[in-house]
Amino acid sequence: MTIQDRSNLPTTLAEKRAALRPLEDRGEVLETPLALLRAYRFTPQSVAFVRNSNPYPEGTETLEAPSMTGTLEVGGLIGRPFTLDLADLASFPLREVEAVMQCAGNGRAFYRDAHLIEGCQWGRGGVMNVLWGGVPLSALLADSHVLADARFLTATGGDGDGDGFEKSVPLADALDVGIVAYRMNGEALGGVHGGPARLLVPGFYGTVNVKWLRKLTLTRDETSHEAQQERYRTLHPDGRRTPCWRQLLKSVIWTPEEGEIVRGTVTFSGCAFNDGRSSISKVELSVDGGRSWSEATLEVESSRFGWRRWELVATLARGEHEVWCRATDEHGVTQPLDPEDDWNPDGYEFNAADKVRFEVR
């Protein structure tokens, strides 16, 4: 059940920093506590997680929305390159989409030897569920005559030292569901979250959803930028290094929290989500190490890209317990039980069954 009480939400970036958990990195990183994640259907901007690889561009280190000044350059493998004033985005049809955005490193702290893995030690809070609003990329590029050999959309942001932050995504996905987002939960997009405009490709990890957008380039190959080639690529046991693109199936336990003491019946609750390419069919919980499973009540899907809340009420004996949670999609794909099945040296794309220890008294 959502609380939806907005009376005590942060109103400044300083208050947001105090309410969230700071993580160390070269850019600002703030993790959202579970109590704030579960309180709202759409995660408010003022408590949504922050992951910046670089310092803020001038004038964007604020919860306020920057003015829609500046331009968006669109070029590459198109017959008609063009430059658009950001203020003109409002002249296009508005598309709204409920979608989860998650850092590719979310859950890194749950891998074996996590302290030896480079990167922020994310717990469960590097994720948000948001109603995004913006211009469909298909509409933006409708008259640009996309050339046949264009395979990727490369987005360049305004942060960093001159060359910005640059990521590539498959063009087919960008044209199918992507938008240039300038609204977040019905409000103008705040500077801290990429305003005045950012890329949003629903179902993809946050790293590709470039903030402070200044350029879109249609390309034959992925960008050579280090953010694409050196970082945010998952090393697999067979030696392949694949980009962190589509979100893996995942469930998260919101209650009880780790180490919590529960009195009486136990209300297990949380959310489940994936990349939106398949429907989540069930969420199951186990309190006996995976020997038996009970199916939770899963809310009706409101968006294929949004998270779905689940709940299960149980009566347990007094003492210490550990609950496991796993989601399964319509094709029978389920989460691995052992986080080491997908261990990688950068700690990306964690999606093992969530596990929480608590006590009943």
Side-chain angles (χ1 to χ4, degrees):
M1 180 178 179
T2 55
I3 300 173
Q4 302 290 344
D5 179 6
R6 297 176 177 269
S7 60
N8 294 318
L9 284 174
T11 59
T12 66
L13 183 53
E15 292 178 357
K16 179 185 177 90
R17 287 167 172 156
L20 274 61
R21 174 183 172 229
L23 300 175
E24 293 184 4
D25 198 71
R26 62 184 182 183
E28 180 152 56
V29 186
L30 301 172
E31 180 174 2
T32 307
L34 293 181
L36 292 175
L37 279 183
R38 64 180 180 251
Y40 305 95
R41 177 185 175 189
F42 299 133
T43 312
Q45 294 198 54
S46 58
V47 296
F49 85 91
V50 175
R51 173 49 171 122
N52 297 338
S53 291
N54 300 303
Y56 290 98
E58 184 178 355
T60 65
E61 194 173 352
T62 174
L63 292 184
E64 300 299 320
S67 61
M68 294 292 283
T69 56
T71 59
L72 176 63
E73 180 183 338
V74 183
L77 297 176
I78 57 177
R80 295 179 178 175
F82 62 96
T83 298
L84 180 75
D85 289 337
L86 291 180
D88 291 336
L89 289 172
S91 66
F92 288 83
L94 176 70
R95 175 186 290 175
E96 289 189 314
V97 56
E98 178 184 350
V100 166
M101 183 178 291
Q102 178 187 206
C103 179
N106 195 36
R108 180 181 285 126
F110 304 129
Y111 276 120
R112 168 178 52 85
D113 295 330
H115 64 288
L116 300 178
I117 297 175
E118 289 190 15
C120 305
Q121 293 297 300
W122 289 103
R124 299 174 176 86
V127 64
M128 63 177 95
N129 189 60
V130 168
L131 183 65
W132 304 95
V135 178
L137 288 168
S138 56
L140 190 68
L141 296 169
D143 299 322
S144 63
H145 296 287
V146 176
L147 301 184
D149 51 352
R151 298 176 54 238
F152 296 96
L153 179 75
T154 296
T156 306
D159 54 330
D161 300 324
D163 60 348
F165 182 85
E166 198 164 87
K167 298 291 292 186
S168 298
V169 293
L171 179 60
D173 292 289
L175 291 176
D176 183 27
V177 298
I179 65 173
V180 174
Y182 60 91
R183 298 189 68 77
M184 188 173 176
N185 299 330
E187 303 169 338
L189 183 63
V192 70
H193 289 295
R198 70 180 298 168
L199 179 66
L200 188 281
V201 184
F204 279 60
Y205 285 106
T207 178
V208 307
N209 296 296
V210 174
K211 298 189 284 285
W212 310 296
L213 192 63
R214 68 182 188 188
K215 184 190 298 184
L216 293 172
T217 310
L218 280 69
T219 55
R220 183 182 296 105
D221 302 305
E222 296 177 35
T223 175
S224 60
H225 195 283
E226 61 89 23
Q228 181 79 17
Q229 298 299 332
E230 302 300 325
R231 294 188 290 145
Y232 298 108
R233 299 185 85 88
T234 300
L235 178 62
H236 300 276
D238 60 6
R240 292 177 301 117
R241 294 182 70 246
T242 57
C244 297
W245 278 342
R246 297 177 181 89
Q247 294 179 148
L248 298 179
L249 175 65
K250 191 169 187 176
S251 60
V252 177
I253 298 170
W254 285 341
T255 62
E257 295 193 34
E258 184 71 26
E260 185 174 346
I261 296 174
V262 181
R263 302 184 187 278
T265 57
V266 182
T267 298
F268 298 106
S269 68
C271 69
F273 54 89
N274 60 7
D275 63 0
R277 296 198 296 176
S278 62
S279 180
I280 296 173
S281 60
K282 62 181 177 180
V283 172
E284 300 170 292
L285 282 79
S286 174
V287 292
D288 57 11
R291 291 187 294 273
S292 63
W293 295 86
S294 299
E295 190 168 340
T297 300
L298 186 63
E299 73 174 2
V300 175
E301 181 179 282
S302 59
S303 165
R304 63 189 176 111
F305 299 114
W307 66 32
R308 295 175 66 184
R309 293 169 178 266
W310 55 262
E311 184 174 285
L312 177 68
V313 179
T315 301
L316 299 178
R318 292 183 179 180
E320 296 182 350
H321 298 271
E322 182 176 72
V323 60
W324 296 7
C325 175
R326 69 180 182 187
T328 303
D329 74 9
E330 60 184 332
H331 302 300
V333 175
T334 192
Q335 295 174 254
L337 298 183
D338 188 347
E340 307 318 315
D341 289 352
D342 295 307
W343 187 93
N344 62 89
D346 293 304
Y348 290 136
E349 299 183 330
F350 180 90
N351 83 314
D354 202 7
K355 300 177 181 181
V356 170
R357 291 168 294 183
F358 63 97
E359 182 181 352
V360 176
R361 289 185 183 176

